[in-house]
Amino acid sequence: MIGVSIATKWEYEATLEYYDVSVDERFSYPYGEYFKRTLDDVELVFYSTGVRKANGVGANQYMMSRFNLMKVIVAGTCAGIDDTFNQLDILIPHRAVQYDCTVKEVEPLIKQSFIVDIELANYGDDFLTGTIATADRAVVMWNDYLELKGHDITIADTEAGAIAYICKKNGIECIIVKGISDFPTDERDANPVDSNVEQINVYIANTPKVMTKIFDDYLWRFI
């Protein structure tokens, strides 16, 4: 069985709608809920995890153990960092890193021990790729954006790098499929609260579009 890990409520709601999931097909577990589908004769379990690294890691470890998963696909949205990409672009990162695991004032922002290289050669090369960076702090403030941009980060989120890390510890393949829902905006000359609200509204509006593109055009090739 393959697990499809989905973090936020908006991503999961879009998934429920896409697969026309009825109430009696949804089952609760400690981190959220899940449902099953069979695609191309492969059984998949789609599950919500909640946001941030602790929920992402805990939920995926639970699902690995409960369903003996052979692979985890992390599907969802992300913030764009590399501005050569655009909103709604879908990326399959070849590297996942965590950048909130060090004292950055005296250590590298990203330590080698928190880098996971993802092998994609078996899936072709006709997709966008790059490095996804994960931290419990979402990339909202402009200074956070500039810091990641200065470290050649492509996209950022709050769970995928940690899930890839725990999958590696379990010896389970992890594929990350992420769509850019929004880019941080420069709030330095504006009200940061208003700027944050504006970015969240863009994220909410784009999330169903991202999830539809992932399920229409990408999920099938990684199962």
Side-chain angles (χ1 to χ4, degrees):
M1 184 180 289
I2 294 175
V4 182
S5 178
I6 299 164
T8 75
K9 68 175 184 177
W10 296 282
E11 293 166 352
Y12 191 66
E13 286 170 358
T15 304
L16 294 173
E17 182 173 353
Y18 183 91
Y19 288 104
D20 192 23
V21 182
S22 63
V23 172
D24 60 358
E25 292 180 293
R26 298 157 61 175
F27 302 94
S28 296
Y29 80 116
Y31 293 89
E33 64 177 40
Y34 66 90
F35 68 92
K36 295 180 181 179
R37 283 290 184 272
T38 299
L39 303 177
D40 293 337
D41 298 322
V42 178
E43 191 173 17
L44 289 84
V45 56
F46 294 77
Y47 47 92
S48 62
T49 67
V51 297
R52 304 297 190 264
K53 295 198 300 182
N55 283 322
V57 168
N60 274 275
Q61 186 66 66
Y62 182 99
M63 286 298 189
M64 288 177 210
S65 300
R66 178 166 181 174
F67 291 110
N68 193 27
L69 300 180
M70 57 179 287
K71 180 191 298 184
V72 168
I73 299 173
V74 183
T77 58
C78 62
I81 304 298
D82 183 340
D83 57 14
T84 63
F85 296 93
N86 301 299
Q87 285 186 14
L88 307 185
D89 279 348
I90 308 296
L91 289 89
I92 319 299
H94 62 82
R95 180 172 294 122
V97 308
Q98 297 179 65
Y99 66 94
D100 60 349
C101 301
T102 64
V103 181
K104 63 183 180 180
E105 289 78 9
V106 295
E107 296 179 299
L109 181 69
I110 301 166
K111 282 187 174 180
Q112 183 62 41
S113 56
F114 291 104
I115 296 174
V116 177
D117 291 314
I118 301 171
E119 181 56 59
L120 298 174
N122 291 335
Y123 301 106
D125 59 4
D126 57 335
F127 46 75
L128 302 175
T129 190
T131 298
I132 186 168
T134 291
D136 275 321
R137 176 184 171 96
V139 184
V140 175
M141 298 294 101
W142 190 248
N143 286 338
D144 294 337
Y145 167 77
L146 293 178
E147 182 174 51
L148 292 182
K149 193 173 176 65
H151 284 79
D152 297 322
I153 299 302
T154 314
I155 53 178
D157 77 347
T158 64
E159 73 283 333
I163 295 171
Y165 180 84
I166 203 66
C167 284
K168 183 178 179 180
K169 291 290 186 182
N170 282 271
I172 293 174
E173 182 182 11
C174 181
I175 298 293
I176 300 167
V177 186
K178 286 280 185 169
I180 298 175
S181 56
D182 58 281
F183 281 83
T185 54
D186 188 349
E187 86 291 339
R188 290 174 297 181
D189 295 326
N191 183 311
V193 175
D194 293 341
S195 180
N196 186 25
V197 169
E198 181 180 350
Q199 186 177 344
I200 289 173
N201 287 338
V202 171
Y203 162 78
I204 292 172
N206 281 337
T207 294
K209 302 173 188 177
V210 165
M211 301 308 288
T212 296
K213 287 186 73 172
I214 289 173
F215 297 140
D216 275 352
D217 302 330
Y218 292 89
L219 185 63
W220 58 270
R221 69 185 298 171
F222 298 105
I223 61 176

